Amino acid sequence: MSRIRNIVLSAISLALLAGVTTAANAADSPSTSIKDTSCSPTQPAILDVPHRLFAAWDKGDASGVAAQFTTDGHMIPNNGVYLTSSSAIASYYKAAFGGPLKGTRMIGKPLSVRCLSSGTAVIDGLGGLLLPGDTYTDPEQVPIGQRIIVSWTAVRINDVYYMKEFQSTQIQS
């Protein structure tokens, strides 16, 4: 039961911002080339990353989830697993979507967006894992234990943002 709980808790670490869009087809993972244009905290391209991630999550598509990260992206879910590439993230979620996360969905909302440079932003968010049958529409409604706070760094590659670093913490109370 502890292993399943750890997988479920780490899964909710991916909840960031609400919304559904089509998952990006990023089979050829992004490089690190960044165009020299300005960053804005309200820029739709920044907020599109979690929308794409949620669309992939809702389909149980581990490769689609991993495609939202740079090839060398890092993820530290709240169970302490240290994933150091998009392929490691895909493998981790393939197992999770085949088992305890089957049929789950994600919701979330931004708490803050800060631009660090012309192509780099840090997004903090509140999120939650929806178990089959859950009908919550706001992460603040999601029960403690299924709710997390996250922080991730997004980098722009050819006008599209991808996650470079991701870390989450389970909300205790």
Side-chain angles (χ1 to χ4, degrees), residues 57-76:
W57 186 287
D58 290 352
K59 294 176 187 174
D61 179 4
S63 294
V65 168
Q68 306 321 308
F69 287 81
T70 61
T71 306
D72 61 346
H74 288 180
M75 178 182 185
I76 305 170

Side-chain angles (χ1 to χ4, degrees), residues 34-46:
I34 298 175
K35 284 189 175 184
D36 186 21
T37 58
S38 65
C39 175
S40 166
T42 59
Q43 191 171 4
I46 295 171

Side-chain angles (χ1 to χ4, degrees), residues 32-156:
T32 57
S33 169
I34 298 175
K35 284 189 175 184
D36 186 21
T37 58
S38 65
C39 175
S40 166
T42 59
Q43 191 171 4
I46 295 171
L47 301 178
D48 192 44
V49 178
H51 297 289
R52 296 188 322 255
L53 183 135
F54 286 175
W57 186 287
D58 290 352
K59 294 176 187 174
D61 179 4
S63 294
V65 168
Q68 306 321 308
F69 287 81
T70 61
T71 306
D72 61 346
H74 288 180
M75 178 182 185
I76 305 170
N78 60 350
N79 68 352
V81 174
Y82 185 44
L83 304 169
T84 59
S85 69
S86 60
S87 61
I89 293 165
S91 294
Y92 182 82
Y93 283 96
K94 181 177 181 182
F97 288 147
L101 296 180
K102 187 172 186 168
T104 61
R105 295 177 297 119
M106 303 303 297
I107 62 171
K109 65 182 180 181
L111 298 175
S112 69
V113 178
R114 299 175 311 282
C115 292
L116 302 181
S117 72
S118 64
T120 305
V122 173
I123 298 92
D124 295 330
L126 179 66
L129 173 72
L130 301 183
L131 302 174
D134 284 348
T135 58
Y136 307 109
T137 57
D138 186 316
E140 291 181 26
Q141 301 169 329
V142 176
I144 300 297
Q146 289 176 237
R147 196 177 336 152
I148 56 149
I149 191 160
V150 298
S151 183
W152 51 274
T153 303
V155 295
R156 185 177 51 237

